[in-house]
Amino acid sequence: MKDFKTIIEPFRIKMVEPFRLTTEKERTNYIKDAHFNPFLLHSETVMIDFLTDSGTSAMSSDQWAGIMLGDESYAGSKSWLKMEKVIRNLTGLQYVFPTHQGRAAESILYTYLGGKGKVFISNTHFDTTRANIEFSGATAIDIPSPDAKNPEDYFPFKGNMDVEKLEQLLKKYPAEKIGGVILTVTNNSGGGQPVSMKNARDVSRICKKHKVNFFLDCCRIAENAYFIQQREKGYEKVSYKKIAQEMFALTDGAVMSAKKDALVNMGGFLALKNKELAEACKNLLIITEGFTTYGGLSGRDMEAIAIGLEEVFDADYLEYRISSTTFLGEHLRKIGVPLIWPIGGHAVYIDAKEFYKHIPVHEYPGQALAVELYIKGGIRTVEIGSVMFGKYDKKGKLIPAPKELVRLAIPRRAYTQSHIEYVIEVFEKLIANKENVKGFKITEEPKFLRHFTSKFARVK
Ligand code: F0G
């Protein structure tokens, strides 16, 4: 389809989920009722839900058919054996444990390897990864590649880990202090940017030299493989699945939220190479999630994961998926919307501080953009800036986050090209009305994870 301008979805639609076309006036009231926090909106009032790409995929007819085949046996379920086989084949890792989602797998692995005095190192720890590590008493250190510093600069693999810093850290801390080195592909908190095979190879080599564990947070492994095939020398003709298999082969284990690239609404797994480590994790799995042949999942979920993990490597699907995200990002950039460049796999990240230059950071330009996108277009997004990561100093003054971003995360197979074009049109309207938009103040906030439940009021 490369000869055509139009992106066509490589599927037709057998079942639809209608949403109501609300008016701007209605939405102005809905967001007011939700205290200007998109997390507090009822999903029925949302038209295009770009809050997350997690657990929001549309399943295929094969997956739905698989749901009916789900074997709900407590032990030795057929569906589990199928899921285990697919994961072993993909990862090459012998010991596989099902969990109800990604963070449950993280909790098991990092509780066991973490604890006071332990250190974990990553290109960027995702929030739940960091939270699980810190909850165990350990420290999480992010070492993103210096290429990622400037949002405007083009580099093909801005998700990479800084391998020089990795060497330094592994010289500084003895091996027994290191809980693990975690490569997140793609790098979600770093803008959904991909990691190169060369980087994974370097990280693996350094970890082996220092005798520390190397894990992959692989929830967007297929999307990462797409970028490697497109951008890394030597991989032009290698299939997406083979690329993923090559990356897994470099590791000691992997943690996956199946809610992303396994194209399902719930699920995850932990896969490990080492028998002793697997034995220890198995005990934690049974205590916290469930028996080894279902973890936190029903048989039908496991069936759908097994099928989704194969479907996601389909060349037509991945081409459509990434082209669609890129199309949105490139068009927004063309009409003058500042954003993280190049466009990553699952989301477009808008630089709200640049977009609403007149709104100071303590009036949360990202929140203002998220609210405007909802009012003007019924589009739900998430602020990733000072609402999410801001802290206060001793005098109660805001210490802002490094960036004021808004993430447009695109659910897999759920929206069509015309939805994407509509979103671009909404941005055109936002640009025309930019100067009139006001910032927000927080009127109520919890102590932790305030972005989920805080209440806001518009600054007059
Ligand atoms: N790792 C990464 C890189 C993630 O993006 C997520 C979830 C997780 C782990 C945790 O997985 O939700 O199944 O427990 N990311 C979602 C998001 C929530 O919106 O980016 P989970």
Side-chain angles (χ1 to χ4, degrees), residues 12-51:
R12 58 186 176 197
I13 297 163
K14 199 192 276 287
M15 187 169 70
V16 295
E17 183 182 8
F19 58 74
R20 192 160 62 86
L21 300 178
T22 50
T23 64
E24 187 172 329
K25 194 161 161 243
E26 287 174 319
R27 293 190 296 265
T28 306
N29 288 327
Y30 293 143
I31 195 76
K32 215 162 128 199
D33 291 346
H35 306 278
F36 300 100
N37 184 346
F39 278 103
L40 301 179
L41 284 168
H42 293 184
S43 66
E44 280 173 342
T45 67
V46 175
M47 285 161 45
I48 309 281
D49 207 343
F50 282 177
L51 190 65

Side-chain angles (χ1 to χ4, degrees), residues 107-138:
S107 166
I108 290 169
L109 185 62
Y110 305 141
T111 300
Y112 181 71
L113 293 174
K116 213 162 179 292
K118 288 288 177 75
V119 172
F120 288 80
I121 303 165
S122 176
N123 48 344
T124 315
H125 293 85
F126 181 68
D127 319 4
T128 57
T129 320
R130 174 176 286 278
N132 269 302
I133 288 169
E134 290 178 351
F135 191 69
S136 81

